[in-house]
Amino acid sequence: MRSLSTPVARSVAGALLAFAVTGCSTTAPPPGGTREAAPAVGEVTGQETLWQDADGGWVRLVAAESGAGGYDHPVKVDPQWLRQTLYDIKLRGTDKADENESAPPIRLFQVKELDVLVPAIAQGLAQAGPDQAVAFATAARRGGFTFFDPVRLTTARVFVSNGELNVLFGPVGEPLAEDSVRGQIRGAPVGTRAAVLNDDDRVWSRSWGSTMPREDWVARPVKTTQGALPALPASGEPMSASREEERASSEPRGAAAPSRDTSRGGDGGGVRERLELLKELHEDGLITEDEYRAERQEILDEL
């Protein structure tokens, strides 16, 4: 019998050995199965849907991020205070802020969005456990010329920790492709500690006591309530607004605009904040001189 020491024999033996080792170290997927892709940053799996509309967005209870949790939940957040807090958040493009300091920032949320988001977020925080947060996605056309303005998506993760309401944003005012709006809304990522998901714009707030842990993250000392919370909007109920309201911009008008928030610790703080907001609305041309004077006098009469 010939020895296996010939070059050909050694090559065959080596190939057989390599095949055996490789076969032992490789785990094949199950028959008919595929490997699952790693979840995208900010992707969430809703534990309970509180409100949703295919064209307008959703509000869900979600699990806290890994390493987070231990939140001050459940908590009954004052709905009027929550509305004012979200109303005060503005959006400023980094390019505009750097190149044209006079470019005015715009409010991130329209009135019709707040009408839906505030009740759902308040209810979610009242239902959430210490290891749950509230996540939302909202989509709307921002400009007055709605035919030309794209649908813009904003998402966030909301939770109360150490006595502060935290709004951690994902995409902010992100324009959506018209042919896939519903799919992008349905699978939209929300804010995460792992990364900033918005590169083009930054948010900021003029609310008293608010801080910015990051350029996409607003925190403000929370104001709670003992009263009843507003009813949840019906799931599938679209955000409604007349064409005149859309053209008028997202600013609340009249008595709904300056919230009677006295969370500064005394009536004087709340009055000052309301006067500042009223002045801002007047300077932006969103209320008339007569409306400004009448509302200002009403606020001063309360002192």
Side-chain angles (χ1 to χ4, degrees):
M1 180 181 292
R2 296 184 61 181
S3 170
L4 294 177
S5 60
T6 65
V8 174
R10 286 198 300 272
S11 297
V12 172
L16 291 172
L17 178 61
F19 176 80
V21 172
T22 304
C24 292
S25 61
T26 302
T27 302
T34 57
R35 299 184 187 281
E36 292 186 2
V41 175
E43 183 178 315
V44 297
T45 300
Q47 297 181 333
E48 181 180 347
T49 297
L50 302 170
W51 170 82
Q52 66 178 350
D53 173 67
D55 299 305
W58 45 260
V59 180
R60 302 169 182 160
L61 283 178
V62 300
E65 292 187 273
S66 176
Y71 300 139
D72 305 341
H73 302 164
V75 58
K76 289 180 67 175
V77 172
D78 186 318
Q80 283 299 107
W81 173 90
L82 176 60
R83 185 183 184 91
Q84 186 69 49
T85 296
L86 295 179
Y87 166 75
D88 282 341
I89 297 175
K90 294 185 176 182
L91 174 66
R92 175 181 288 146
T94 53
D95 291 340
K96 289 184 179 180
D98 293 339
E99 298 175 8
N100 183 6
E101 292 295 338
S102 64
I106 61 174
R107 297 202 182 275
L108 182 56
F109 299 106
Q110 300 183 49
V111 172
K112 62 180 181 180
E113 293 175 287
L114 296 178
D115 289 343
V116 171
L117 292 177
V118 169
I121 293 173
Q123 288 282 358
L125 292 172
Q127 294 177 217
D131 294 319
Q132 290 179 305
V134 178
F136 71 80
T138 178
R141 299 184 191 275
R142 181 187 300 151
F145 298 99
T146 56
F147 180 79
F148 299 101
D149 189 58
V151 176
R152 297 179 181 274
L153 174 71
T154 295
T155 75
R157 186 187 305 268
V158 184
F159 55 91
V160 176
S161 179
N162 297 321
E164 288 189 322
L165 179 83
N166 292 261
V167 186
L168 176 54
F169 287 95
V172 176
E174 180 177 294
L176 301 181
E178 292 291 342
D179 59 350
S180 58
V181 168
R182 289 189 171 188
Q184 293 174 85
I185 293 173
R186 183 172 56 251
V190 300
T192 172
R193 289 173 168 81
V196 177
L197 301 184
N198 174 47
D199 296 327
D200 299 326
D201 297 288
R202 63 174 180 259
V203 297
W204 65 283
S205 175
R206 63 173 298 281
S207 291
W208 176 84
S210 62
T211 57
M212 299 291 299
R214 274 185 352 206
E215 62 185 10
D216 61 339
W217 188 339
V218 176
R220 188 186 180 197
V222 70
K223 181 178 180 180
T224 59
T225 183
Q226 299 299 320
L229 296 178
L232 279 170
S235 187
E237 177 182 333
M239 291 180 286
S240 61
S242 67
R243 180 63 57 85
E244 288 73 24
E245 288 174 324
E246 291 182 347
R247 288 176 184 242
S249 90
S250 63
E251 311 284 1
R253 303 186 64 147
S259 169
R260 303 180 184 279
D261 177 10
T262 59
S263 58
R264 275 184 156 176
D267 189 58
V271 166
R272 177 182 292 275
E273 182 167 322
R274 290 163 58 197
L275 288 172
E276 289 174 353
L277 178 56
L278 187 65
K279 181 180 178 182
E280 183 178 337
L281 294 176
H282 180 244
E283 290 175 347
D284 290 345
L286 297 166
I287 58 176
T288 66
E289 178 70 22
D290 290 341
E291 289 172 329
Y292 169 71
R293 290 180 178 276
E295 182 66 23
R296 182 176 183 275
Q297 187 60 50
E298 181 180 337
I299 295 172
L300 294 176
D301 287 344
E302 296 177 9
L303 293 176

